[in-house]
Amino acid sequence: MLEFLTLHPNAFGLDISDFSLKFVYLKKSKKGIHVASFGESAIPEGIISQGEIQKGDELVALLRKALEKPAGEKIETRYVVASLPEEQAFLQVIQLPKMNLKELQRAAVFEAENYIPYPLETVYVDSEFVVPIKDHLDHADVLLASLPKTTVDSYVQVFGKAGLVPQVLEIESLAVARALVPRGVSLVPILLVDLGATRTSFLVFAGHSLRFTASIPIASRQFTLAVSKTLEVDLLRAEELKKTYGLERRGKSEGGQVFEALIHSMVDLVEQIKKYMEYYVSHATHQHLPEEERVIQQVFLAGGGANLPGLPAFLESELNTKVGTGDPWVNIASKPFHELPPLPFEESLRYTTALGLALRGLDIIYD
């Protein structure tokens, strides 16, 4: 994460991907946190490609238009907490000798060149001390993050032209974890699977921090294309069929045809999830935890793709691990619910990143 201000005025969250932008403005009141404003806009193909801005002026125009008429209140702040593309990011937990926080920050920057696969002069680097799950480590864990300067600078330029002031620029995975992990802590390792339009991200969270991230090109658009090709229907109809049937029906019916269209991609997705789950277990030994405490205990789904009917049950049977839909309101609402007006729960899954960013805009810090 890259902070541009030392003060923290209230800011809204802005999630930008290749094909859409979403924003959420949260406010605090005596009753708690509530959604003041939200909205989204499609981004035409070619304006952003794999996280890289190709047509800055067109993105500026889209931003201005989307923010002019949000659902809910008019957004009364120019300050924004925005996502930066996961494709361009490097994020890894590194080990350093035990020392005080200031020494750790200096040491992390010094050690960064041994981990980041780019010349340091071409990237922005940030670091954060990782509180251990159990305070028995003989070293300090530090979360190291970096992004190319050209990528960051291009987003800052767009925000400036749109009349926005970036308070924080944050890698998407950090925002997703903030939205989904209750109070920002998990005593056992969990896997967050963020199913977006063009890619799926895997995020392992344990203790007070992300431990590992990866992304693959298996995602919602690919599922829709598979249905369109198999059933010989246009993309709009394929999207409708996908959302209606998903993985819930088999056989020779229309729902069965949808299942057959999706199953190849689903098998690929399962294999990728297994691979990264096994990778984490084999690389978590430095935490000095017994193996049963290194195994991922639960999988939470988020993003628009998490709404695919039958997906949690299918993954749970294939992974032999408990799988459920993440709750992007867990750190906003005081009790479980299925709908928070005016944003329905299923729709809110697509806003997971934006909600996590908006929480950062409130400067929420968990004790």
Side-chain angles (χ1 to χ4, degrees), residues 195-200 216-224 242 265:
L195 291 131
T198 59
R199 60 184 170 79
T200 294
I216 60 173
I218 301 172
S220 291
R221 283 172 63 90
Q222 179 180 329
F223 303 158
T224 304
K242 183 186 74 173
S265 295

Side-chain angles (χ1 to χ4, degrees), residues 133-360:
I133 301 174
K134 296 182 179 180
D135 193 15
H136 59 188
L137 302 185
D138 55 3
H139 61 272
D141 283 345
V142 176
L143 182 65
L144 193 66
S146 75
L147 280 151
K149 289 181 177 179
T150 54
T151 298
V152 176
D153 293 346
S154 68
Y155 280 86
V156 171
Q157 185 178 40
V158 162
F159 297 145
K161 288 183 177 180
L164 303 175
V165 179
Q167 188 185 82
V168 178
L169 298 180
E170 187 168 70
I171 297 170
E172 291 174 38
S173 55
L174 295 170
V176 171
R178 184 182 300 107
L180 296 181
V181 180
R183 296 190 63 78
V185 61
S186 177
L187 298 180
V188 297
I190 58 176
L191 175 65
L192 310 176
V193 179
D194 184 16
L195 291 131
T198 59
R199 60 184 170 79
T200 294
S201 296
F202 303 131
L203 297 67
V204 177
F205 191 100
H208 300 266
S209 175
L210 284 175
R211 298 285 173 166
F212 172 78
T213 66
S215 63
I216 60 173
I218 301 172
S220 291
R221 283 172 63 90
Q222 179 180 329
F223 303 158
T224 304
L225 287 169
V227 174
S228 174
K229 182 178 180 181
T230 301
L231 276 72
E232 299 181 344
V233 296
D234 61 32
L235 291 177
L236 184 61
R237 177 58 177 160
E239 183 70 15
E240 292 175 354
L241 291 169
K242 183 186 74 173
K243 290 180 177 180
T244 299
Y245 298 112
L247 300 169
E248 290 187 334
R249 298 190 186 181
R250 305 189 186 192
K252 297 182 179 180
S253 65
E254 190 174 53
Q257 289 178 296
V258 173
F259 179 89
E260 292 301 321
L262 293 172
I263 192 61
H264 178 73
S265 295
M266 291 299 118
V267 170
D268 287 347
L269 179 63
V270 167
E271 290 304 311
Q272 292 294 321
I273 293 175
K274 286 181 177 179
K275 180 177 76 173
Y276 287 114
M277 289 174 71
E278 291 168 1
Y279 176 88
Y280 173 74
V281 172
S282 65
H283 286 74
T285 53
H286 74 274
Q287 295 176 38
H288 306 318
L289 298 173
E291 184 173 352
E292 61 270 18
E293 293 186 37
R294 287 187 267 124
V295 174
I296 290 170
Q297 303 291 316
Q298 189 164 4
V299 177
F300 290 102
L301 307 179
N307 289 316
L308 186 71
L311 181 59
F314 176 82
L315 291 178
E316 186 165 305
S317 66
E318 294 295 321
L319 299 173
N320 197 29
T321 303
K322 188 175 181 180
V323 178
T325 302
D327 182 359
W329 302 104
V330 68
N331 293 314
I332 299 173
S334 58
K335 58 183 179 180
F337 56 89
H338 291 290
E339 183 171 323
L340 180 71
L343 190 57
F345 181 80
E346 286 191 0
E347 285 297 301
S348 70
L349 287 170
R350 299 190 298 109
Y351 281 80
T352 300
T353 301
L355 286 164
L357 295 166
L359 278 170
R360 180 63 188 270

Side-chain angles (χ1 to χ4, degrees), residues 30-92:
K30 292 182 179 179
K31 295 182 179 180
I33 302 171
H34 70 279
V35 175
S37 314
F38 71 95
E40 67 177 309
S41 176
I43 297 178
E45 189 170 357
I47 292 180
I48 303 176
S49 178
Q50 296 184 335
E52 292 279 4
I53 297 173
Q54 306 295 324
K55 300 176 182 178
D57 289 342
E58 292 186 29
L59 183 57
V60 169
L62 285 170
L63 263 174
R64 286 175 174 169
K65 184 177 181 181
L67 294 171
E68 278 178 2
K69 296 181 179 180
E73 304 174 15
K74 179 178 175 62
I75 295 179
E76 57 191 32
T77 179
R78 295 171 58 231
Y79 294 98
V80 62
V81 177
S83 64
L84 290 171
E86 198 80 22
E87 301 100 317
Q88 307 294 324
F90 172 86
L91 191 150
Q92 182 176 327

